[in-house]
Amino acid sequence: MKNTLFWRLCAFIALGTVLLFWALSWLTNHTETSMSFIDAQHQQQLLNYGRQAETILRQDGEAALVVWLKALQQKENTWAAVVHSKITPFADTSLPENYLERFQLGRSVEWKIHLYFEENPTMEIPFSDASSHFLIQLPQRMRPGAFLLYAKLFLQIALPLILLCILSFVLYQHVMAPLRKLENATKAFSEGKLDVRVAPYLPHRNDELTRLAETFDHMAQRISMLIYNQRQLLADLSHELRTPLTRIDMAVDFVEQNINPKQALERLRYEASTMRNLVEDTLTLAWLNNESPRLNTDDFDLVELLEVICEDARFEYPNCMLTTDLPANAEITKSSQTALGQAFENIVRNALRYTPATREVNVSLTQSDKCYTLTVRDQGPGVPQDMLSDIFKPFFRVDKARVSDKALTQSAPPSGFGLGLALAQRQIAAIGGNISAQNYFASDGALLGLEMVIRLAR
């Protein structure tokens, strides 16, 4: 799902908001309800007032009750009264018994008090005869809900603020946790720890931040590989340049001492040309490694290109046998004739260099609906199985990797700088193809040679 983090945050915020409002509403109603009842101590006090009034009336008479009521009203700063209630219906009507049983002149001490009414309600405590009643306006000191204002301020302001801060903190941690890991990885990478990665630290996430971490890891992998390749290339180039530079120094000494100056000048020209070729190939390789270009501007006939290269190779190696198995034509689009030509020329020359004069190199081209498959088979000594991938590394000496064959090795010409196949692999990759190498064998298990396979999209 796209925008996973967005939808996750939306769901979290929406659900959190609904739950917040529901919780606040429930807490407000529950708090208000619980604060709307007279305290149990005050309820008992009102009931005691009612029993005292009934006792004084029965034992001491109405005059004593008058004195007691006045004292009570002054004490509680309210009014109080004792009344008789006898409902007498008329006009040929009657009242049901259950109505008469429930009828009250005031509120029971156990009833809920409406806190929003400014005037205190009248409370009723019935006497035992059920026809006399003690009435008293609820004293202000007994009125419930004294802390209702503070409770509302807490529930409507403080509590939502606290819950929203917690919600924000959870969201912040959810978003910032991977960003902190990314920040730490970026800092470590900038300090030279090229193997640092972020995705392994986010195994249970699958959102935009995870994809950001994967993008960072891909970038880190590519940059670390480029840095490693540049370091390795620089070290190898420095090593390769030492030999021609030493020979140039020796040739200069010979010229200065007039020792075989003609031969020394020829050596200078040869070594200068060698260094030029080495530097040019190294720069080309570095460009291919660093830029990873897509070379796809040419449309041409692949068969025509192969025939020209094979003809040049036959001229360069007149003592070697080079056979071809090519179709009449093979049109290829969005490729690079120059890059493919240089890569194929390196591969064919490499095959001819290590194939004895009595054996042959075969070049074949097959095609399918999706790709062309170009195969170059030599009949040389092959390559050790564990070194087949190494032959595409820069400055890897092919003659040192091949299976030892003393006679063949002695007759083989110098193998160059070990850049040919490395350049070929990267040039073919730049046009969207791939190259692989493998030894091929006879039915009896005898090694026949090395086979290079190039696959190119049509």
Side-chain angles (χ1 to χ4, degrees):
M1 179 188 291
K2 292 184 177 180
N3 303 322
T4 307
L5 181 62
F6 170 76
W7 292 115
R8 188 179 299 171
L9 293 178
C10 280
F12 188 80
I13 293 173
L15 181 61
T17 303
V18 171
L19 290 176
L20 174 63
F21 280 107
W22 175 83
L24 291 176
S25 176
W26 183 86
L27 284 172
T28 301
N29 292 334
H30 178 75
T31 302
E32 183 177 331
T33 299
S34 63
M35 297 180 69
S36 297
F37 293 95
I38 300 174
D39 186 82
Q41 180 181 355
H42 293 153
Q43 289 184 24
Q44 188 61 47
Q45 181 68 59
L46 292 174
L47 292 174
N48 291 339
Y49 284 157
R51 282 194 288 268
Q52 289 180 26
E54 183 177 6
T55 301
I56 292 172
L57 178 62
R58 288 185 178 181
Q59 293 181 358
D60 302 328
E62 187 174 338
L65 180 61
V66 170
V67 174
W68 181 82
L69 286 173
K70 289 182 179 179
L72 176 63
Q73 293 179 87
Q74 185 176 6
K75 174 185 175 183
E76 296 291 355
N77 192 26
T78 186
W79 65 263
V82 176
V83 299
H84 295 290
S85 66
K86 182 169 180 62
I87 302 176
T88 306
F90 64 95
D92 196 23
T93 60
S94 63
L95 295 173
E97 286 295 326
N98 59 352
Y99 173 80
L100 292 174
E101 291 175 358
R102 295 195 310 268
F103 177 76
Q104 285 188 288
L105 296 174
R107 303 178 67 83
S108 171
V109 295
E110 297 176 353
W111 287 7
K112 178 181 177 182
I113 306 300
H114 296 290
L115 303 179
Y116 297 104
F117 293 168
E118 292 185 4
E119 186 176 356
N120 290 344
T122 300
M123 312 306 297
E124 174 191 351
I125 296 90
F127 288 178
S128 56
D129 60 4
S131 62
S132 300
H133 310 267
F134 173 72
L135 301 179
I136 183 172
Q137 186 179 35
L138 182 67
Q140 186 64 32
R141 69 181 183 87
M142 298 184 183
R143 181 183 177 92
F147 300 101
L148 180 62
L149 177 61
Y150 302 104
K152 283 188 173 182
L153 289 175
F154 175 77
L155 291 175
Q156 295 178 3
I157 298 177
L159 184 59
L161 181 61
I162 294 172
L163 294 178
L164 287 175
C165 288
I166 294 174
L167 178 66
S168 300
F169 178 76
V170 172
L171 291 177
Y172 177 80
Q173 288 295 107
H174 183 72
V175 174
M176 288 304 299
L179 291 181
R180 287 196 194 95
K181 291 183 173 64
L182 182 61
E183 179 186 12
N184 294 334
T186 305
K187 183 178 180 181
F189 192 83
S190 66
E191 292 173 351
K193 299 177 182 178
L194 302 181
D195 60 340
V196 66
R197 299 294 182 268
V198 184
Y201 295 100
L202 306 174
H204 304 300
R205 294 182 67 115
N206 184 22
D207 52 25
E208 291 87 336
L209 296 178
T210 308
R211 291 192 285 275
L212 175 62
E214 292 172 352
T215 302
F216 172 85
D217 288 352
H218 179 73
M219 177 202 69
Q221 179 67 26
R222 173 157 175 76
I223 292 177
S224 60
M225 186 60 66
L226 289 176
I227 293 175
Y228 171 78
N229 288 340
Q230 286 181 349
R231 290 174 179 173
Q232 189 64 39
L233 201 62
L234 183 60
D236 291 338
L237 179 61
S238 301
H239 176 75
E240 294 295 333
L241 285 174
R242 287 194 183 98
T243 299
L245 286 173
T246 300
R247 291 171 181 166
I248 288 175
D249 288 339
M250 293 174 62
V252 170
D253 290 340
F254 288 165
V255 171
E256 290 176 346
Q257 298 173 25
N258 201 23
I259 302 173
N260 248 341
K262 184 176 180 181
Q263 184 179 359
L265 288 173
E266 289 177 357
R267 172 58 67 177
L268 283 172
R269 290 191 186 94
Y270 174 79
E271 296 300 340
S273 176
T274 299
M275 290 178 61
R276 183 184 302 109
N277 293 334
L278 173 60
V279 171
E280 288 177 354
D281 287 348
T282 303
L283 290 176
T284 302
L285 183 64
W287 176 72
L288 290 170
N289 280 337
N290 295 340
E291 300 299 330
S292 297
R294 300 296 297 175
L295 306 178
N296 53 6
T297 57
D298 296 341
D299 300 337
F300 56 92
D301 187 352
L302 186 56
V303 172
E304 189 176 308
L305 174 64
L306 296 178
E307 287 177 343
V308 171
I309 293 174
C310 289
E311 190 61 32
D312 292 342
R314 291 190 185 100
F315 178 79
E316 189 174 348
Y317 293 86
N319 297 325
C320 297
M321 296 176 58
L322 177 60
T323 61
T324 59
D325 184 9
L326 306 175
N329 57 70
E331 295 294 329
I332 188 169
T333 60
K334 295 183 179 180
S335 183
S336 172
Q337 186 169 354
T338 302
L340 184 58
Q342 291 175 352
F344 183 65
E345 189 174 9
N346 273 323
I347 294 169
V348 171
R349 285 180 176 176
N350 206 60
L352 291 169
R353 181 181 295 119
Y354 288 98
T355 299
T358 57
R359 300 178 187 177
E360 73 173 27
V361 173
N362 177 261
V363 176
S364 64
L365 177 65
T366 59
Q367 52 187 330
S368 63
D369 294 337
K370 295 183 178 180
C371 71
Y372 292 111
T373 302
L374 177 62
T375 306
V376 179
R377 281 188 170 185
D378 65 33
Q379 292 184 351
V383 173
Q385 202 68 23
D386 60 342
M387 295 184 180
L388 284 172
S389 60
D390 293 336
I391 63 177
F392 297 106
K393 293 180 179 179
F395 298 104
F396 185 83
R397 302 292 186 179
V398 179
D399 55 334
K400 294 180 181 179
R402 289 182 179 271
V403 175
S404 61
D405 187 328
K406 187 174 182 180
L408 293 178
T409 304
Q410 288 176 347
S411 62
S415 60
F417 305 107
L419 290 174
L421 291 180
L423 279 170
Q425 183 194 47
R426 287 151 180 80
Q427 286 168 326
I428 291 170
I431 60 177
N434 62 78
I435 181 173
S436 60
Q438 60 187 14
N439 294 311
Y440 69 101
F441 303 87
S443 56
D444 60 357
L447 177 65
L448 296 179
L450 184 68
E451 179 181 78
M452 308 289 289
V453 181
I454 304 172
R455 290 181 177 84
L456 303 170
R458 298 190 62 175

